[in-house]
Amino acid sequence: MATADYWADSPIDRGSNWFSLLFPTLDSLIHPEDPVRLVDDILREVDWSLWEAEYPRRKGQPPIHPKHIAAATLYGMYRGIRSSRKLEEACNYRFDFVWLVEGRHIDHTTFNNFRTKFRQPLRDLFRQIGRIAMTLGLIRLADVAFDGTRVKANNSRFQTRTAKTLEEKVRALDELFEHLMSQLHDADADGLGQGASQLPDELAAVDQRRQRVQAALEQARAADEARRRQGVNPQKNPAQVPTTDPDSRVMPNKEGGYAPNYTPIATTDGERGFIVDCDVLSEINEGSAALPSVDRIAATFGQRPERFLTDAGNNSGQIMAGMEDRNVEFYAPAKSSQPQPGNPAWRESPQAPVPESQWPELPRNDQRQLDKSCFVYVESEDQYYCPQGHAMPFEKTKPDERGGEVIQKRIYRCSACAGCPLAAACLSPKSKHGRTITRDQYEKVRERTAARMSSESSRQIYNQRPRIAETTFGILKSVMGLRQFLLRGLEKVRTEWLWAATAFNVMKLSREIGKLRAEFAEVAASTEI
């Protein structure tokens, strides 16, 4: 059996003053090139007056300046620490956090309340950080890439309900509420009631649950109605509504399956990868946020981007036209509906029929019928010509709703389909009155975008989009750990995403300033030699 003197002695006596001898000050614990110093230097240059204005000037214990709480929150995200309790722990035990907050003890409740209270001052902080980067030439707004991703809501994938289930739950809660109310009336009649002007705690809790479930039921019915308008039978495939965070939506996960999610979006500058705008949507498609993003960039930096890069999911005619109105070049996969070189329908005279030998080469659509690009539009005549050279004059206008906007579609119909040798390849089995082609007010802008994207220089510009846009989400998710939101409700989630984007930019800016300082030191050293 080993004796007591067998074990190695402790090199330090807990009661000795060795720590003060090795590290006489807190500042000496932090390396001169530690990133926390750069973060502190950046945040010291920020105007905190909007934050300070949110504090009531009352007597009592002096509050901690918002600069220190914001610094710990941003630096925590920089280090992948997002939990308010983890931030409290770091401020007590990690030297870099203790140095940053200058030894202040900030509890998790303060962190939790702080990160949801200051959305407008936080937006101003995001702007100030961006302006600093722009002054240093790190943001140029030449090319910006817009994209969205999927981040899980703070809602279990199993905590979702259909309208039918919620209706049953509402009925059960109504019965329970009526039962408790009858018991309360009986107690008041017997003189045993409390005689309070408000509902007892148990009854008030049931009433609150009933209101929440009723709100979820209305949301489920609205989602079912939206599915019905899209041609989906809600009886067979009803909408699922999250019950913990009702603002979220059940969407496909990136890794497969379905769960309550949000769709955060980010617009990233191509010069150094700074985020120049961000938002969160509670819908699958982020296209509705493209034009507002450009407007917010102009408000934040005083100018619009020159070129806007995005993926094929955001190449609607409305977005293309909106970008042209804002004098922003739009880069996204776009296909012209007019015949292009290589297509047999591309010919000098649209009245001339396509040779029969080239019929098999005519493009087909998803239904294996002749594609719209087989039909030539002549603007001066305002009519199409089919591959057989027959005229297709304008017939009527039909409204169509797209993305909340009513689009007026112009319909052109061919009257020479009877007996046409291409009829089998051109007409659908349901067509009884000839082939039709539709055209809306965005057709010209689509053709202009397609013409721009057909050049080699445009393709080289667009090929930068994955590097610019997707790197941002990779860092936010993998490095900063933002794969699920901690907060609930769309507005709080938007604030949480804004915190993350601001921390991302602070991280970028600190690294760039560190590089500039190192380069300056190297130049200064070489000059002295």
Side-chain angles (χ1 to χ4, degrees):
M1 182 176 179
T3 58
D5 59 358
Y6 170 78
W7 308 107
D9 293 332
S10 172
I12 299 173
D13 180 5
R14 287 178 175 173
S16 68
N17 62 349
W18 72 272
F19 187 87
S20 62
L21 294 175
L22 293 177
F23 303 100
T25 63
L26 176 62
D27 193 65
S28 63
L29 285 169
I30 308 300
H31 192 275
E33 297 180 3
D34 193 291
V36 72
R37 292 185 178 274
L38 292 170
V39 171
D40 184 67
D41 289 344
I42 292 170
L43 296 181
R44 285 183 182 276
E45 298 300 319
V46 169
D47 179 11
W48 295 93
S49 58
L50 288 180
W51 301 74
E52 295 169 353
E54 297 288 333
Y55 285 79
R57 305 293 178 174
R58 300 172 182 170
K59 295 181 179 179
Q61 189 73 15
I64 299 174
H65 195 278
K67 174 183 67 177
H68 303 293
I69 309 175
T73 303
L74 294 170
Y75 182 69
M77 287 187 163
Y78 179 99
R79 292 300 189 186
I81 302 174
R82 299 167 54 223
S83 164
S84 57
R85 291 185 182 273
K86 293 291 185 182
L87 286 173
E88 177 185 358
E89 181 182 6
C91 289
N92 289 330
Y93 300 111
R94 281 188 53 160
F95 290 139
D96 51 350
F97 278 86
V98 174
W99 180 90
L100 183 63
V101 301
E102 299 176 2
R104 293 172 174 83
H105 295 285
I106 308 173
D107 60 47
H108 65 275
T109 303
T110 301
F111 277 119
N112 190 52
N113 295 334
F114 184 86
R115 64 187 178 188
T116 59
K117 181 179 180 181
F118 297 95
R119 177 169 175 79
Q120 289 305 319
L122 178 60
R123 173 62 66 179
D124 180 70
L125 176 61
F126 177 84
R127 180 191 64 81
Q128 291 188 62
I129 298 297
R131 286 296 185 96
I132 293 173
M134 194 173 190
T135 302
L136 295 174
L138 304 174
I139 294 177
R140 297 188 182 275
L141 297 181
D143 298 322
V144 299
F146 171 87
D147 203 0
T149 188
R150 202 83 73 240
V151 174
K152 294 178 181 177
N154 193 341
N155 192 116
S156 169
R157 65 187 305 169
F158 304 107
Q159 293 298 319
T160 61
R161 300 291 184 269
T162 63
K164 181 179 178 181
T165 305
L166 290 170
E167 288 173 356
E168 296 172 355
K169 200 171 187 67
V170 167
R171 284 195 295 268
L173 288 172
D174 286 343
E175 293 175 0
L176 177 59
F177 184 81
E178 293 299 329
H179 175 68
L180 293 176
M181 282 294 292
S182 64
Q183 287 185 337
L184 179 64
H185 291 156
D186 292 343
D188 288 340
D190 295 338
L192 301 175
Q194 298 177 354
S197 59
Q198 60 184 15
L199 294 175
D201 292 342
E202 182 181 7
L203 197 58
V206 172
D207 188 43
Q208 290 177 358
R209 286 179 58 197
R210 186 175 63 165
Q211 293 177 14
R212 289 197 300 268
V213 174
Q214 182 64 42
L217 174 59
E218 294 174 1
Q219 183 178 338
R221 288 171 175 168
D224 283 341
E225 180 59 29
R227 288 187 171 222
R228 187 177 291 105
R229 289 197 300 268
Q230 296 170 0
V232 179
N233 186 351
Q235 298 296 328
K236 297 181 178 179
N237 190 10
Q240 297 278 342
V241 174
T243 55
T244 307
D245 184 0
D247 284 354
S248 63
R249 294 291 181 271
V250 176
M251 308 178 191
N253 290 324
K254 293 290 185 179
E255 62 274 15
Y258 291 79
N261 289 298
Y262 284 101
T263 302
I265 63 104
T267 306
T268 307
D269 186 73
E271 182 68 20
R272 286 292 191 276
F274 282 82
I275 298 175
V276 291
D277 183 65
C278 64
D279 198 7
V280 178
L281 309 176
S282 58
E283 55 191 66
I284 295 177
N285 189 0
E286 68 270 11
S288 62
L291 294 175
S293 179
V294 172
D295 295 337
R296 287 192 297 265
I297 291 172
T300 301
F301 296 98
Q303 68 181 74
R304 295 188 180 96
E306 296 177 17
R307 294 178 287 272
F308 189 91
L309 286 57
T310 187
D311 57 28
N314 304 313
N315 63 350
S316 69
Q318 296 97 315
I319 297 177
M320 294 178 187
M323 292 296 173
E324 283 196 356
D325 292 341
R326 290 163 175 78
N327 199 27
V328 176
E329 286 190 3
F330 183 76
Y331 289 78
K335 180 181 177 183
S336 174
S337 63
Q338 286 294 282
Q340 301 298 311
N343 183 346
W346 189 70
R347 53 202 192 274
E348 292 185 4
S349 174
Q351 290 91 347
V354 175
E356 184 176 357
S357 60
Q358 296 181 351
W359 289 357
E361 301 174 21
L362 289 170
R364 262 63 171 178
N365 56 25
D366 295 338
Q367 289 74 38
R368 304 306 304 163
Q369 298 165 348
L370 294 184
D371 188 66
K372 184 178 180 180
S373 60
C374 298
F375 299 78
V376 181
Y377 179 73
V378 179
E379 186 174 3
S380 60
E381 302 175 12
D382 189 24
Q383 66 180 359
Y384 279 87
Y385 286 89
C386 77
Q388 287 289 77
H390 299 301
M392 301 176 63
F394 167 73
E395 182 181 76
K396 62 180 179 180
T397 301
K398 181 179 179 181
D400 183 28
E401 184 177 349
R402 299 179 194 168
E405 179 183 359
V406 177
I407 307 297
Q408 297 297 330
K409 296 195 306 183
R410 295 173 62 84
I411 300 177
Y412 301 79
R413 188 182 299 275
C414 182
S415 59
C417 293
C420 177
L422 275 174
C426 187
L427 297 175
S428 69
K430 298 180 180 179
S431 179
K432 298 180 180 179
H433 304 288
R435 178 66 186 263
T436 59
I437 297 294
T438 61
R439 185 179 182 88
D440 60 37
Q441 66 262 42
Y442 299 115
E443 204 72 44
K444 288 185 179 180
V445 71
R446 290 193 194 95
E447 293 171 2
R448 287 194 293 268
T449 303
R452 181 189 307 120
M453 295 299 296
S454 65
S455 68
E456 181 61 28
S457 59
S458 294
R459 286 194 290 269
Q460 291 179 359
I461 292 173
Y462 184 74
N463 287 341
Q464 299 299 313
R465 188 201 68 82
R467 173 189 63 81
I468 300 171
E470 295 173 12
T471 301
T472 300
F473 294 129
I475 294 173
L476 285 166
K477 290 185 176 182
S478 298
V479 178
M480 299 172 62
L482 209 159
R483 296 184 180 276
Q484 182 175 21
F485 287 111
L486 300 176
L487 304 179
R488 296 171 183 168
L490 181 57
E491 289 306 312
K492 290 184 178 181
V493 164
R494 280 174 169 163
T495 303
E496 185 176 356
W497 185 247
L498 182 57
W499 274 109
T502 306
F504 179 94
N505 283 353
V506 169
M507 175 184 70
K508 282 270 185 186
L509 186 57
S510 64
R511 289 180 177 177
E512 295 293 339
I513 291 177
K515 291 178 184 178
L516 292 174
R517 288 181 177 178
E519 292 173 2
F520 179 79
E522 184 178 348
V523 171
S526 62
T527 304
E528 292 177 1
I529 294 175

